Amino acid sequence: AQSVTQLGSHVSVSEGALVLLRCNYSSSVPPYLFWYVQYPNQGLQLLLKYTSAATLVKGINGFEAEFKKSETSFHLTKPSAHMSDAAEYFCAVTSFGAGSYQLTFGKGTKLSVIP
Amino acid sequence: NAGVTQTPKFQVLKTGQSMTLQCAQDMNHEYMSWYRQDPGMGLRLIHYSVGAGITDQGEVPNGYNVSRSTTEDFPLRLLSAAPSQTSVYFCASTLQGQANSEAFFGQGTRLTVV
């Protein structure tokens, strides 16, 4: 079964610093990978997704992620953190079960941005 | 642009009470699902549906029932609430249950069972 592991439940960065959120996946087949963001007291929204078209994926709000098969990783980065980036970020992978694809989420990484 | 609408936003239940969490989407999506979110646990799939009249269990289905009589609605029922069901519940919908499909989420229902 497919799964994802997010390293670090809480990451703090200074405003303007690089953001790096780590995600490693486990999959016996080529995976479809996603990053979702959850702002306080809101639902999740899609940041970006990898669907094998390109290994470097650009998303909304200046975020991007690189798929590295050799490292089974899909880390999320942003060159310069902004206060508005403070949120919880979830890496997810699709898995197939009972006739349908389902999203399996990591445990999440809460990003704090220090002014 | 309503998207996915969940009601209520907040609810407090006593142990043993029953209730239904409502979820409606106006995007004509076939696939709908319910997740619960607990601190440090991420989101875990409770039940899902691939279309009207078809439902199936996810990772943590015990204590919850679902039905799907229309494409738009996918209610989640707690028959006898327990403190372990205190959580934030999210409903999501996807155009089709495809591997690269984006899921659209509601705003969540924060449930406390006392």
Side-chain angles (χ1 to χ4, degrees), chain A residues 36 38 49 94 98 100 102 107, chain B residues 31 37 40 48 90 99-100 103:
Chain A
Y36 283 84
Q38 183 182 32
K49 65 179 179 181
T94 49
S100 177
Q102 301 159 13
K107 295 188 186 311
Chain B
Y31 184 92
Q37 182 181 24
Y48 65 97
F90 287 99
N100 62 347

Side-chain angles (χ1 to χ4, degrees), chain A residues 32-34 36 38 41-46 49-51 88 90 94 96-108, chain B residues 31 35 37-38 40-45 48 50 56-58 88 90 97-108 110:
Chain A
Y32 290 97
L33 294 159
F34 303 78
Y36 283 84
Q38 183 182 32
N41 299 314
Q42 294 190 25
L44 281 71
Q45 62 182 86
L46 182 68
K49 65 179 179 181
Y50 167 74
T51 59
E88 190 158 18
F90 293 92
T94 49
F96 190 82
S100 177
Y101 286 97
Q102 301 159 13
L103 273 175
T104 299
F105 287 89
K107 295 188 186 311
Chain B
Y31 184 92
Y35 293 86
Q37 182 181 24
D38 302 292
M41 301 292 289
L43 279 78
R44 292 180 291 169
L45 183 65
Y48 65 97
V50 299
D56 207 341
Q57 297 180 352
V88 182
F90 287 99
Q98 301 297 320
N100 62 347
S101 297
E102 174 185 356
F104 293 83
F105 286 82
Q107 297 286 295
R110 187 175 296 273

Side-chain angles (χ1 to χ4, degrees), chain A residues 1 3 6 31 43 46 52 59 61 65 68 74 83 86 94 98 106-107 110:
Chain A
S3 65
Q6 292 183 240
L46 182 68
S52 76
N61 300 336
K68 292 187 176 180
F74 190 56
M83 296 298 293
T94 49
K107 295 188 186 311
K110 188 165 289 188

Side-chain angles (χ1 to χ4, degrees), chain B residues 28-98:
Chain B
N28 202 31
H29 285 175
E30 295 180 2
Y31 184 92
M32 297 184 73
S33 52
W34 276 102
Y35 293 86
R36 60 177 289 171
Q37 182 181 24
D38 302 292
M41 301 292 289
L43 279 78
R44 292 180 291 169
L45 183 65
I46 304 171
H47 285 285
Y48 65 97
S49 169
V50 299
I54 307 170
T55 64
D56 207 341
Q57 297 180 352
E59 180 186 354
V60 288
N62 291 343
Y64 308 95
N65 280 350
V66 292
S67 60
R68 184 97 178 268
S69 57
T70 66
T71 300
E72 294 78 20
D73 300 299
F74 189 44
L76 178 72
R77 297 184 188 87
L78 284 70
L79 297 180
S80 179
S84 61
Q85 294 178 304
T86 294
S87 187
V88 182
Y89 292 85
F90 287 99
C91 178
S93 75
T94 310
L95 180 58
Q96 291 178 325
Q98 301 297 320

Side-chain angles (χ1 to χ4, degrees), chain A residues 3-95:
Chain A
S3 65
V4 291
T5 301
Q6 292 183 240
L7 301 177
S9 59
H10 198 170
V11 171
S12 293
V13 300
S14 297
E15 192 174 16
L18 172 71
V19 175
L20 171 60
L21 304 182
R22 300 176 187 274
C23 173
N24 289 88
Y25 70 89
S26 171
S27 176
S28 58
V29 298
Y32 290 97
L33 294 159
F34 303 78
W35 276 99
Y36 283 84
V37 61
Q38 183 182 32
Y39 298 104
N41 299 314
Q42 294 190 25
L44 281 71
Q45 62 182 86
L46 182 68
L47 263 183
L48 50 81
K49 65 179 179 181
Y50 167 74
T51 59
S52 76
T55 56
L56 183 63
V57 182
K58 294 188 184 300
I60 62 172
N61 300 336
F63 283 93
E64 62 183 35
E66 186 172 9
F67 174 74
K68 292 187 176 180
K69 185 177 178 180
S70 61
E71 299 177 7
T72 61
S73 69
F74 190 56
H75 301 332
L76 182 71
T77 61
K78 182 174 180 178
S80 177
H82 191 272
M83 296 298 293
S84 61
D85 295 326
E88 190 158 18
Y89 294 80
F90 293 92
C91 184
V93 65
T94 49
S95 56

